[in-house]
Amino acid sequence: MIGGGGHCRSVLDCLLEQAVFSEIAIVDDFLPLGTQVMGVAVIGPTDAPESYRRMGFTHAFLAIGSVGNPKIRQDFFESYSKAGFEFTNVIDKTAVVSRFASLGSGVFVGKRAIINAGVSLGHAVIVNTCAVIEHDCQVGDFAHVATAGVLCGGVKVGRCSHIGAQSVVRQGLRVGSDCVVGMGSLVSSNIPEGVTAYGAPCRVKQANVVGL
């Protein structure tokens, strides 16, 4: 588990309930060695993936949340992949994921989330608690659909974008890459790349600084 904060707790709750892995450990740059998070120990900082491979760990998961700037998640995904780690998917037992959906690696699907038929999720996508991804949606790498967010049918969300909690995106629309859609928004028209937008109806408010 890369990161030991709040998102880690949500992911751990799913993993510990399912008991899929024989051993789970956390790496974190801010928690002291030996700290326990829900009974799982911190074994060191994040910058030594090769040493953790030598310890026998084979799978990794990005337990770091993302709101607006997922670059740190991208960097960890790349460095741990290069070190030979396989990124596992974590899907809560209460989530509903169609067998006709396609998921990349390192995906998190939280409690009571729904992924419907024909959906395509990229790598390291977060679909948080009670979010709904309707049929034929496409969600790019490192994007995040926050708590109770809804993508109606055929929506496309670009890589590294964030759909805020309880936001709704109308069917057939596109939200560009590197975007932030504020919580509670009603998206009724396409959102261009690299902007922050919010409101009901949702309107572009500012351009984002991309690639920090």
Side-chain angles (χ1 to χ4, degrees), residues 26 63 71 79 83 85 87 95 100 114 119 140 186:
I26 295 168
K71 186 176 187 304
S79 63
F85 279 90
F87 277 85
F100 299 104
I114 298 174
V119 168
L186 297 178

Side-chain angles (χ1 to χ4, degrees), residues 45-115:
T46 61
D47 61 357
E50 292 84 2
S51 68
Y52 303 132
R53 283 287 289 138
R54 291 192 293 270
M55 292 169 64
F57 290 99
T58 58
H59 291 71
F61 191 84
L62 285 167
I64 300 170
S66 172
V67 180
N69 182 16
K71 186 176 187 304
I72 187 170
R73 302 180 79 245
Q74 297 176 69
D75 290 345
F76 281 134
F77 192 90
E78 181 178 347
S79 63
Y80 276 72
S81 294
K82 286 183 177 178
F85 279 90
E86 177 181 345
F87 277 85
T88 189
N89 292 339
V90 177
I91 299 172
D92 191 84
K93 66 181 182 180
T94 64
V96 178
V97 179
S98 169
R99 64 189 180 95
F100 299 104
S102 172
L103 277 61
S105 58
V107 170
F108 175 67
V109 182
K111 288 179 169 56
R112 299 186 182 277
I114 298 174
I115 311 293

Side-chain angles (χ1 to χ4, degrees), residues 92-203:
D92 191 84
K93 66 181 182 180
T94 64
V96 178
V97 179
S98 169
R99 64 189 180 95
F100 299 104
S102 172
L103 277 61
S105 58
V107 170
F108 175 67
V109 182
K111 288 179 169 56
R112 299 186 182 277
I114 298 174
I115 311 293
N116 222 324
V119 168
S120 175
L121 303 182
H123 298 313
V125 168
I126 299 172
V127 180
N128 230 320
T129 307
C130 293
V132 176
I133 315 294
E134 258 302 342
H135 64 88
D136 303 308
C137 288
Q138 299 176 28
V139 182
D141 297 345
F142 305 103
H144 180 181
V145 181
T147 304
V150 177
L151 305 184
C152 297
V155 167
K156 295 181 180 180
V157 176
R159 69 189 317 273
C160 301
S161 285
H162 178 88
I163 308 298
Q166 293 191 322
S167 291
V168 178
V169 183
R170 195 187 74 190
Q171 65 272 15
L173 295 182
R174 174 174 173 78
V175 177
S177 300
D178 302 301
C179 288
V180 176
V181 173
M183 66 180 183
S185 295
L186 297 178
V187 182
S188 56
S189 59
N190 292 331
I191 304 296
E193 296 195 356
V195 300
T196 293
Y198 52 87
C202 189
R203 295 286 184 263

